Amino acid sequence: MMSKVVVVGSLNMDIVIQVERHPHVGETIFSQSVSSIPGGKGANQAAASASQGAATHLIGRVGADDFGDALLQFCHRFCINTDAVKRVPNLPTGQAFVTVDVEGVNSVVVHGGANQSWGATFSDTELIGPGDMILAQLEIPTHIVAQAFEAAKTKGATTILNPSPVAFFDLDLLDLTDILIANEHELGTAAQAKSQPSSADDYAAAEAAAAGRACKRIITTLGELGVRIYDRGERSSVPGRRVQAVDTTGAGDCFAGTFAAALADGADFVAAAKRANLAASISVTRLGAGPSMPTRDEVDALIN
Ligand code: RIB
């Protein structure tokens, strides 16, 4: 049977405003535009994976409201299987308030809503099969991610953790993680470093510290500088691709979803990282997170 990508994570409606610059604390400014755009780290990663042609399931929660309807429609447009996206009657669908400046740099405030309503037990274990890629982030309760990863381990699936937002990173998850996809802040937290890594030596030390847990394969995403790869002691890197960024929201999600899809398709670790790096460089040239995920053909065009 073909491997599939199973994303366990959040769905948010992103309320995106474009501004000349971010406001200071206590300051009021005007925005140039406002839009409601599908997002949430889980939905974004599922969209990135499905856009690459991988059979993709999303396990998540939305409210019984209009944003919940819109997010499910968005997933279906991307051919994401949403049988395991449950509707929560008494909470709103998650929302993220995203401010994007003229450099494409964002700041985000999330209201979790239905994303936080999972109960005590992860109950979708039957969706996970041998060889699948199980991809999770931290906009849903940590105990659900841990239980999903435990189920994945039992079934012979590969667990991929993108520990974002970093404030909710429970380091015990590293013991259940096969592949960590982190930015520099998240890598620093995984390594329990006093400050975020900045030199090559810092990165090497942080990778070694994080790999002291069960997690032996680490990708550090460095934005326009590309990615660092740590694969069971072997180190390499992929350079960034220079583009004019419009909106960097969801670039990390694009990377993670594309990477998981490439592995499910049989690519090796470095080839999957190269592909994901190119996909993320395309996504930042478009406004919004979920809809900005590139197709397989768009990524292929940069490779061939
Ligand atoms: O990673 C980007 C996502 O983070 C946005 O789509 C927003 O929903 C926030 O959760």
Side-chain angles (χ1 to χ4, degrees):
M1 209 160 99
M2 284 256 303
S3 296
K4 61 185 185 297
V5 175
V6 179
V7 181
V8 185
S10 57
L11 300 94
N12 293 330
M13 186 55 77
D14 291 354
I15 313 302
V16 182
I17 55 171
Q18 289 183 287
V19 293
E20 287 285 328
R21 62 169 177 81
H22 291 267
H24 303 300
V25 174
E27 185 187 23
T28 300
I29 60 171
F30 283 106
S31 79
Q32 272 72 53
S33 74
V34 61
S35 340
S36 302
I37 303 178
K41 295 179 192 303
N44 295 342
Q45 294 185 10
S49 167
S51 296
Q52 295 302 307
T56 305
H57 289 246
L58 177 58
I59 305 178
R61 301 286 181 268
V62 290
D65 51 17
D66 290 348
F67 282 161
D69 291 344
L71 284 163
L72 287 170
Q73 280 164 20
F74 165 78
C75 289
H76 297 154
R77 265 208 322 279
F78 276 75
C79 299
I80 299 165
N81 184 310
T82 60
D83 291 351
V85 177
K86 300 206 170 69
R87 310 228 39 176
V88 177
N90 301 320
L91 285 171
T93 294
Q95 289 167 62
F97 299 89
V98 182
T99 306
V100 183
D101 72 13
V102 287
E103 309 287 331
V105 176
N106 68 55
S107 59
V108 184
V109 177
V110 175
H111 179 73
N115 292 307
Q116 294 301 318
S117 179
W118 289 73
T121 310
F122 175 76
S123 55
D124 293 297
T125 51
E126 80 286 351
L127 265 183
I128 301 171
D132 287 348
M133 303 293 146
I134 312 306
L135 175 58
Q137 333 71 36
L138 301 178
E139 278 186 336
I140 61 169
T142 301
H143 70 275
I144 293 297
V145 175
Q147 290 177 29
F149 278 13
E150 278 162 8
K153 291 272 177 196
T154 311
K155 300 211 178 186
T158 298
T159 57
I160 308 175
L161 178 66
N162 174 223
S164 179
V166 70
F168 303 97
F169 192 169
D170 174 350
L171 296 184
D172 288 345
L173 283 174
L174 290 173
D175 295 332
L176 296 165
T177 299
D178 295 315
I179 301 170
L180 180 71
I181 300 177
N183 64 22
E184 58 267 53
H185 307 283
E186 294 150 3
L187 178 66
T189 302
Q192 296 185 283
K194 287 200 181 65
S195 56
Q196 138 192 358
S198 54
S199 67
D201 284 351
D202 288 352
Y203 278 108
E207 287 156 358
R213 313 287 290 244
C215 172
K216 299 290 179 240
R217 306 180 104 182
I218 300 168
I219 292 180
T220 310
T221 54
L222 304 169
E224 62 188 28
L225 297 178
V227 300
R228 283 181 62 96
I229 297 171
Y230 174 93
D231 186 5
R232 296 169 290 203
E234 296 287 316
R235 290 189 169 84
S236 57
S237 60
V238 177
R241 173 173 170 262
R242 286 198 76 81
V243 292
Q244 185 66 48
V246 171
D247 179 7
T248 55
T249 314
D253 299 331
C254 181
F255 185 96
T258 306
F259 178 79
L263 286 190
D265 196 33
D268 72 34
F269 201 71
V270 174
K274 285 183 178 161
R275 193 169 179 89
N277 185 55
L278 292 173
S281 78
I282 298 172
S283 76
V284 301
T285 63
R286 301 168 179 166
L287 181 67
S292 72
M293 305 305 166
T295 62
R296 190 180 178 112
D297 286 350
E298 287 177 306
V299 180
D300 283 347
L302 294 180
I303 292 174
N304 299 324

